[in-house]
Amino acid sequence: MPDIRVVNLTKKYGKIYALDNVSLTIKDKEYFSLLGPSGCGKTTLLRLIAGLIEPDSGEIYIGDRRVDKDPPEDRDIGFVFQTFALFPHMTAWGNVIYGPKVKNYDQKKADTIGHEVLDLVKLNERLNAYPSELSGGMMQRIAVARALAAGAKTLLLDEPLGQLDAKVRNEIRYEIRRMAKDLKLTSIHVTHDQAEAMSISDRIAVMKKGKIVQSGTPQELYMHPNSLFVAHFIGESNFLEGYITETNEHTEVELREGLKVKAINPGIKREERVILAIRPETCDMKRGRATTEDGLLGKIEKVTFEGTVVRYEIRLENGDRMIINRPSLAEKWIEIGEEVTINYPIEKAHLFVYPEAGLTEEISV
Ligand SMILES: Nc1ncnc2c1ncn2[C@@H]1O[C@H](COP(=O)(O)OP(=O)(O)OP(=O)(O)O)[C@@H](O)[C@H]1O
Ligand SMILES: [Mg+2]
Protein backbone atom coordinates (compact mmCIF):
# COMPACT_ATOMS: atom_id res chain seq x y z
CA MET A 1 0.00 0.00 0.00
CA PRO A 2 1.32 3.42 -0.89
CA ASP A 3 2.43 6.50 1.00
CA ILE A 4 -0.06 9.34 1.33
CA ARG A 5 1.40 12.76 0.67
CA VAL A 6 -0.25 16.14 1.00
CA VAL A 7 1.54 19.23 -0.29
CA ASN A 8 0.70 22.82 0.65
CA LEU A 9 -2.91 21.95 1.25
CA THR A 10 -5.23 24.85 2.08
CA LYS A 11 -8.97 24.88 2.76
CA LYS A 12 -10.86 28.02 3.76
CA TYR A 13 -14.41 28.45 4.96
CA GLY A 14 -15.20 32.13 4.57
CA LYS A 15 -12.35 33.85 6.39
CA ILE A 16 -11.42 30.80 8.46
CA TYR A 17 -8.42 28.76 7.43
CA ALA A 18 -9.65 25.27 8.35
CA LEU A 19 -6.35 24.04 6.88
CA ASP A 20 -3.48 26.42 6.28
CA ASN A 21 -0.78 25.31 3.84
CA VAL A 22 -0.24 21.87 5.34
CA SER A 23 2.35 19.44 4.02
CA LEU A 24 2.65 15.93 5.41
CA THR A 25 3.74 12.44 4.40
CA ILE A 26 2.17 9.36 5.91
CA LYS A 27 4.29 6.35 5.22
CA ASP A 28 3.18 3.10 3.69
CA LYS A 29 1.53 0.81 6.34
CA GLU A 30 1.95 3.42 9.02
CA TYR A 31 -0.59 3.91 11.81
CA PHE A 32 -0.65 7.69 11.94
CA SER A 33 -2.67 10.01 14.18
CA LEU A 34 -3.81 13.60 13.77
CA LEU A 35 -4.03 15.06 17.25
CA GLY A 36 -5.23 18.48 18.27
CA PRO A 37 -7.92 20.49 20.00
CA SER A 38 -11.42 20.97 18.67
CA GLY A 39 -11.57 23.04 15.48
CA CYS A 40 -7.87 22.67 14.55
CA GLY A 41 -8.65 21.11 11.17
CA LYS A 42 -8.32 17.36 11.75
CA THR A 43 -11.60 16.36 10.12
CA THR A 44 -11.02 18.80 7.27
CA LEU A 45 -7.66 17.17 6.46
CA LEU A 46 -9.21 13.70 6.60
CA ARG A 47 -12.14 14.68 4.36
CA LEU A 48 -9.77 16.27 1.83
CA ILE A 49 -7.73 13.07 1.66
CA ALA A 50 -10.91 11.01 1.26
CA GLY A 51 -12.18 13.31 -1.48
CA LEU A 52 -15.35 14.31 0.38
CA ILE A 53 -14.38 17.97 -0.01
CA GLU A 54 -12.11 19.83 -2.43
CA PRO A 55 -9.05 21.86 -1.42
CA ASP A 56 -8.71 25.54 -2.35
CA SER A 57 -5.09 24.85 -3.24
CA GLY A 58 -2.47 22.17 -2.81
CA GLU A 59 -2.01 18.59 -3.90
CA ILE A 60 -2.79 15.13 -2.57
CA TYR A 61 -0.89 12.02 -3.68
CA ILE A 62 -1.54 8.38 -2.96
CA GLY A 63 1.66 6.69 -4.02
CA ASP A 64 2.79 8.42 -7.19
CA ARG A 65 -0.75 9.17 -8.26
CA ARG A 66 -2.17 12.64 -7.79
CA VAL A 67 -5.72 12.13 -6.54
CA ASP A 68 -7.09 15.53 -5.54
CA LYS A 69 -9.26 15.70 -8.65
CA ASP A 70 -10.36 12.06 -8.42
CA PRO A 71 -13.77 11.11 -7.00
CA PRO A 72 -13.74 9.44 -3.56
CA GLU A 73 -14.58 5.99 -4.92
CA ASP A 74 -11.40 5.94 -6.99
CA ARG A 75 -9.14 6.49 -4.00
CA ASP A 76 -9.47 3.03 -2.32
CA ILE A 77 -10.12 4.67 1.00
CA GLY A 78 -12.31 3.45 3.86
CA PHE A 79 -13.81 6.01 6.21
CA VAL A 80 -14.92 5.26 9.78
CA PHE A 81 -16.79 8.05 11.54
CA GLN A 82 -17.28 8.95 15.17
CA THR A 83 -21.01 8.45 15.05
CA PHE A 84 -21.98 4.98 14.07
CA ALA A 85 -22.63 5.30 10.37
CA LEU A 86 -23.89 1.79 9.67
CA PHE A 87 -27.04 1.28 7.63
CA PRO A 88 -29.58 0.76 10.44
CA HIS A 89 -32.02 -1.31 8.37
CA MET A 90 -29.33 -3.81 7.35
CA THR A 91 -27.81 -6.58 9.44
CA ALA A 92 -24.08 -6.68 10.20
CA TRP A 93 -23.77 -8.99 7.21
CA GLY A 94 -25.74 -6.64 4.95
CA ASN A 95 -23.54 -3.75 5.94
CA VAL A 96 -20.34 -5.67 5.36
CA ILE A 97 -21.18 -7.03 1.90
CA TYR A 98 -22.67 -3.74 0.71
CA GLY A 99 -19.33 -2.71 -0.82
CA PRO A 100 -18.65 -5.96 -2.68
CA LYS A 101 -22.25 -5.88 -3.99
CA VAL A 102 -21.95 -2.32 -5.27
CA LYS A 103 -18.82 -3.47 -7.06
CA ASN A 104 -20.89 -6.22 -8.71
CA TYR A 105 -18.78 -9.03 -7.34
CA ASP A 106 -20.40 -12.45 -7.83
CA GLN A 107 -22.19 -13.92 -4.81
CA LYS A 108 -19.42 -16.38 -3.97
CA LYS A 109 -16.68 -13.78 -3.97
CA ALA A 110 -18.79 -11.33 -1.93
CA ASP A 111 -19.56 -14.07 0.64
CA THR A 112 -15.90 -15.01 0.97
CA ILE A 113 -14.88 -11.40 1.53
CA GLY A 114 -17.74 -10.88 4.01
CA HIS A 115 -16.73 -13.84 6.17
CA GLU A 116 -13.06 -12.93 6.00
CA VAL A 117 -13.55 -9.42 7.28
CA LEU A 118 -16.07 -10.51 9.94
CA ASP A 119 -13.48 -13.04 11.14
CA LEU A 120 -10.96 -10.25 11.39
CA VAL A 121 -13.20 -8.20 13.64
CA LYS A 122 -14.32 -11.38 15.47
CA LEU A 123 -18.01 -10.85 14.77
CA ASN A 124 -18.88 -13.70 12.43
CA GLU A 125 -21.27 -15.15 15.01
CA ARG A 126 -23.22 -11.86 15.08
CA LEU A 127 -23.72 -11.49 11.34
CA ASN A 128 -27.51 -11.52 11.63
CA ALA A 129 -27.66 -8.76 14.24
CA TYR A 130 -28.95 -5.31 13.36
CA PRO A 131 -26.83 -2.30 14.44
CA SER A 132 -29.35 -1.52 17.20
CA GLU A 133 -28.65 -4.97 18.67
CA LEU A 134 -24.90 -4.43 18.82
CA SER A 135 -22.78 -2.57 21.38
CA GLY A 136 -20.98 0.64 20.39
CA GLY A 137 -17.67 -1.20 20.19
CA MET A 138 -19.17 -3.90 17.98
CA MET A 139 -20.72 -1.29 15.67
CA GLN A 140 -17.34 0.35 15.19
CA ARG A 141 -15.76 -3.02 14.45
CA ILE A 142 -18.46 -3.62 11.82
CA ALA A 143 -17.76 -0.16 10.40
CA VAL A 144 -14.09 -1.10 10.03
CA ALA A 145 -15.08 -4.47 8.51
CA ARG A 146 -17.33 -2.69 6.02
CA ALA A 147 -14.51 -0.40 4.95
CA LEU A 148 -12.17 -3.37 4.53
CA ALA A 149 -14.72 -5.38 2.54
CA ALA A 150 -15.14 -2.43 0.20
CA GLY A 151 -11.47 -2.82 -0.68
CA ALA A 152 -9.99 0.01 1.36
CA LYS A 153 -6.23 0.14 1.26
CA THR A 154 -6.19 3.19 3.43
CA LEU A 155 -8.26 3.54 6.56
CA LEU A 156 -9.33 6.99 7.70
CA LEU A 157 -10.80 7.00 11.19
CA ASP A 158 -12.41 10.17 12.54
CA GLU A 159 -12.72 9.90 16.33
CA PRO A 160 -13.85 6.30 15.86
CA LEU A 161 -13.89 5.68 19.61
CA GLY A 162 -15.45 8.97 20.66
CA GLN A 163 -18.82 7.55 21.61
CA LEU A 164 -17.52 4.59 23.56
CA ASP A 165 -16.96 4.39 27.30
CA ALA A 166 -13.40 4.44 28.61
CA LYS A 167 -12.89 0.71 29.14
CA VAL A 168 -14.22 -0.28 25.71
CA ARG A 169 -12.25 2.54 24.07
CA ASN A 170 -9.03 1.10 25.42
CA GLU A 171 -9.74 -2.37 24.09
CA ILE A 172 -11.05 -1.34 20.69
CA ARG A 173 -8.22 1.07 19.95
CA TYR A 174 -5.64 -1.73 20.14
CA GLU A 175 -7.87 -4.00 18.10
CA ILE A 176 -8.26 -1.47 15.30
CA ARG A 177 -4.51 -0.92 15.25
CA ARG A 178 -3.88 -4.68 15.18
CA MET A 179 -6.29 -5.17 12.26
CA ALA A 180 -4.75 -2.32 10.31
CA LYS A 181 -1.28 -3.76 10.92
CA ASP A 182 -2.32 -7.34 10.06
CA LEU A 183 -3.79 -6.13 6.78
CA LYS A 184 -0.81 -3.84 6.10
CA LEU A 185 -3.08 -0.83 5.66
CA THR A 186 -2.02 2.77 5.87
CA SER A 187 -4.18 4.34 8.58
CA ILE A 188 -4.92 7.90 9.68
CA HIS A 189 -6.66 8.15 13.03
CA VAL A 190 -8.10 11.47 14.18
CA THR A 191 -8.42 12.11 17.88
CA HIS A 192 -8.24 14.92 20.41
CA ASP A 193 -7.26 12.43 23.11
CA GLN A 194 -3.49 12.53 23.56
CA ALA A 195 -3.35 9.29 25.56
CA GLU A 196 -5.15 7.50 22.74
CA ALA A 197 -2.82 8.91 20.10
CA MET A 198 0.27 8.14 22.18
CA SER A 199 -0.66 4.53 22.80
CA ILE A 200 -1.57 3.39 19.28
CA SER A 201 0.37 5.53 16.81
CA ASP A 202 3.60 4.95 14.96
CA ARG A 203 3.71 8.70 14.46
CA ILE A 204 1.54 11.66 15.38
CA ALA A 205 1.03 15.11 13.87
CA VAL A 206 -0.01 17.69 16.46
CA MET A 207 -2.27 20.34 14.90
CA LYS A 208 -3.25 23.82 16.00
CA LYS A 209 -5.39 26.34 14.12
CA GLY A 210 -5.13 24.68 10.72
CA LYS A 211 -1.39 24.01 10.90
CA ILE A 212 0.83 21.12 11.90
CA VAL A 213 2.92 22.22 14.86
CA GLN A 214 5.09 19.10 15.14
CA SER A 215 5.08 15.55 13.90
CA GLY A 216 7.06 12.59 15.16
CA THR A 217 6.88 9.38 17.14
CA PRO A 218 5.06 9.56 20.47
CA GLN A 219 8.43 9.43 22.24
CA GLU A 220 9.89 12.25 20.16
CA LEU A 221 6.93 14.50 20.85
CA TYR A 222 7.01 13.71 24.53
CA MET A 223 10.77 13.93 25.06
CA HIS A 224 11.49 16.75 22.63
CA PRO A 225 8.47 19.04 22.25
CA ASN A 226 9.34 21.83 19.81
CA SER A 227 6.97 24.34 21.38
CA LEU A 228 5.12 25.26 24.53
CA PHE A 229 1.92 24.14 22.83
CA VAL A 230 3.20 20.58 22.34
CA ALA A 231 4.82 20.50 25.81
CA HIS A 232 1.40 21.39 27.19
CA PHE A 233 -0.84 19.35 24.91
CA ILE A 234 1.17 16.11 25.13
CA GLY A 235 1.62 14.96 28.68
CA GLU A 236 1.86 17.64 31.32
CA SER A 237 4.45 20.33 31.99
CA ASN A 238 5.29 22.83 34.70
CA PHE A 239 6.02 26.22 33.16
CA LEU A 240 8.38 28.48 35.13
CA GLU A 241 8.86 32.02 33.84
CA GLY A 242 12.15 33.87 33.97
CA TYR A 243 15.03 35.58 32.19
CA ILE A 244 18.33 34.20 30.97
CA THR A 245 21.02 35.79 33.11
CA GLU A 246 24.04 33.74 32.17
CA THR A 247 24.99 31.87 28.99
CA ASN A 248 28.66 31.11 29.56
CA GLU A 249 29.52 27.69 30.92
CA HIS A 250 25.99 26.92 32.03
CA THR A 251 22.83 28.72 31.14
CA GLU A 252 21.29 30.26 34.16
CA VAL A 253 17.67 31.30 34.34
CA GLU A 254 16.48 33.74 36.94
CA LEU A 255 12.93 32.96 37.96
CA ARG A 256 10.61 35.24 39.93
CA GLU A 257 12.05 36.73 43.12
CA GLY A 258 15.61 36.17 41.91
CA LEU A 259 15.46 32.38 42.22
CA LYS A 260 18.23 30.99 39.99
CA VAL A 261 18.14 27.65 38.18
CA LYS A 262 20.25 25.94 35.53
CA ALA A 263 19.02 24.89 32.10
CA ILE A 264 20.16 23.56 28.77
CA ASN A 265 19.87 26.35 26.25
CA PRO A 266 18.83 25.66 22.65
CA GLY A 267 20.51 28.94 21.67
CA ILE A 268 18.40 31.63 23.27
CA LYS A 269 20.14 35.00 23.92
CA ARG A 270 21.09 36.41 27.30
CA GLU A 271 18.43 38.61 28.91
CA GLU A 272 15.72 37.01 26.84
CA ARG A 273 12.44 36.30 28.62
CA VAL A 274 11.92 32.51 28.73
CA ILE A 275 9.82 29.68 30.04
CA LEU A 276 11.37 26.56 31.50
CA ALA A 277 9.18 23.49 30.97
CA ILE A 278 9.62 20.63 33.42
CA ARG A 279 7.66 17.36 33.32
CA PRO A 280 6.03 16.57 36.69
CA GLU A 281 7.29 12.98 36.73
CA THR A 282 10.95 13.76 36.00
CA CYS A 283 11.50 15.58 39.28
CA ASP A 284 13.06 14.18 42.38
CA MET A 285 11.52 15.39 45.62
CA LYS A 286 12.88 14.93 49.13
CA ARG A 287 11.44 15.88 52.49
CA GLY A 288 12.88 18.91 54.21
CA ARG A 289 15.22 21.71 53.19
CA ALA A 290 18.39 20.52 51.54
CA THR A 291 21.47 21.65 53.35
CA THR A 292 24.23 20.76 50.93
CA GLU A 293 22.72 20.03 47.55
CA ASP A 294 21.16 22.57 45.26
CA GLY A 295 17.47 22.34 44.68
CA LEU A 296 14.23 24.24 44.60
CA LEU A 297 12.66 24.65 48.01
CA GLY A 298 8.93 24.49 48.45
CA LYS A 299 6.00 23.51 50.57
CA ILE A 300 3.32 20.93 49.76
CA GLU A 301 -0.08 22.59 49.27
CA LYS A 302 -2.16 19.71 47.96
CA VAL A 303 -1.86 15.94 47.65
CA THR A 304 -4.10 13.95 45.30
CA PHE A 305 -4.09 10.18 45.01
CA GLU A 306 -4.59 9.30 41.33
CA GLY A 307 -4.14 5.54 41.44
CA THR A 308 -0.74 4.84 39.94
CA VAL A 309 0.66 8.22 40.95
CA VAL A 310 0.36 10.69 43.78
CA ARG A 311 0.09 14.26 42.52
CA TYR A 312 1.68 16.94 44.67
CA GLU A 313 1.03 20.65 44.24
CA ILE A 314 3.93 22.60 45.61
CA ARG A 315 4.41 26.31 46.28
CA LEU A 316 8.04 27.21 45.63
CA GLU A 317 9.87 29.75 47.78
CA ASN A 318 9.49 32.37 45.07
CA GLY A 319 5.72 31.89 44.86
CA ASP A 320 5.70 29.77 41.67
CA ARG A 321 3.57 26.66 41.67
CA MET A 322 4.76 23.23 40.56
CA ILE A 323 3.15 19.84 40.11
CA ILE A 324 5.16 16.71 40.83
CA ASN A 325 3.92 13.16 40.28
CA ARG A 326 5.44 10.32 42.25
CA PRO A 327 4.61 6.59 42.02
CA SER A 328 1.99 5.95 44.68
CA LEU A 329 3.43 2.64 45.86
CA ALA A 330 7.09 3.55 45.97
CA GLU A 331 7.19 5.75 49.02
CA LYS A 332 5.39 7.05 52.01
CA TRP A 333 3.39 10.07 50.91
CA ILE A 334 4.53 13.52 51.86
CA GLU A 335 1.90 15.54 53.67
CA ILE A 336 0.39 18.95 53.17
CA GLY A 337 2.47 21.67 54.81
CA GLU A 338 5.73 19.70 54.72
CA GLU A 339 8.81 21.37 53.26
CA VAL A 340 10.48 19.70 50.30
CA THR A 341 13.55 20.05 48.11
CA ILE A 342 13.05 19.46 44.41
CA ASN A 343 15.62 18.50 41.81
CA TYR A 344 14.99 18.04 38.12
CA PRO A 345 17.33 16.56 35.50
CA ILE A 346 18.28 19.60 33.41
CA GLU A 347 18.62 17.51 30.25
CA LYS A 348 14.92 16.68 30.49
CA ALA A 349 13.77 20.26 31.03
CA HIS A 350 13.11 22.43 27.97
CA LEU A 351 13.70 26.12 27.55
CA PHE A 352 11.46 28.20 25.26
CA VAL A 353 11.39 31.87 24.38
CA TYR A 354 8.42 33.56 26.06
CA PRO A 355 5.65 33.69 23.43
CA GLU A 356 4.71 37.11 22.04
CA ALA A 357 1.02 36.46 22.55
CA GLY A 358 1.58 35.41 26.18
CA LEU A 359 1.67 31.94 27.67
CA THR A 360 -2.07 31.50 28.17
CA GLU A 361 -2.85 32.38 24.56
CA GLU A 362 0.01 30.20 23.26
CA ILE A 363 -1.16 27.04 24.96
CA SER A 364 -4.90 27.68 24.80
CA VAL A 365 -6.91 25.04 22.98
N1 LIG B 1 -18.59 22.98 6.28
C1 LIG B 1 -18.02 23.95 7.00
N2 LIG B 1 -18.46 25.23 6.91
C2 LIG B 1 -17.88 26.23 7.62
N3 LIG B 1 -16.84 26.05 8.46
C3 LIG B 1 -16.36 24.81 8.60
C4 LIG B 1 -16.92 23.70 7.89
N4 LIG B 1 -16.21 22.59 8.24
C5 LIG B 1 -15.28 22.99 9.12
N5 LIG B 1 -15.35 24.31 9.34
C6 LIG B 1 -14.47 25.10 10.23
O1 LIG B 1 -13.13 24.72 9.97
C7 LIG B 1 -12.38 24.62 11.18
C8 LIG B 1 -11.80 23.23 11.30
O2 LIG B 1 -12.86 22.29 11.47
P1 LIG B 1 -12.63 20.73 11.62
O3 LIG B 1 -13.97 20.09 11.60
O4 LIG B 1 -11.65 20.28 10.62
O5 LIG B 1 -11.99 20.65 13.08
P2 LIG B 1 -11.61 19.34 13.96
O6 LIG B 1 -10.16 19.47 14.28
O7 LIG B 1 -12.06 18.12 13.28
O8 LIG B 1 -12.44 19.61 15.30
P3 LIG B 1 -13.23 18.57 16.25
O9 LIG B 1 -12.18 17.94 17.15
O10 LIG B 1 -14.14 19.44 17.03
O11 LIG B 1 -13.94 17.57 15.39
C9 LIG B 1 -13.34 24.99 12.29
O12 LIG B 1 -13.15 26.34 12.60
C10 LIG B 1 -14.70 24.76 11.68
O13 LIG B 1 -15.68 25.61 12.25
MG1 LIG C 1 -13.49 16.66 13.75
Side-chain angles (χ1 to χ4, degrees), residues 13 16 18 36-45 158-159 190 192:
Y13 290 107
I16 296 172
S38 186
C40 71
K42 306 179 294 293
T43 297
T44 302
L45 179 50
D158 194 353
E159 300 268 4
V190 160
H192 60 262

Side-chain angles (χ1 to χ4, degrees), residues 11-29:
K11 177 74 183 175
K12 277 171 84 177
Y13 290 107
K15 288 199 177 106
I16 296 172
Y17 280 86
L19 213 61
D20 188 0
N21 199 27
V22 163
S23 296
L24 176 70
T25 300
I26 291 136
K27 295 178 207 151
D28 184 27
K29 304 185 202 59

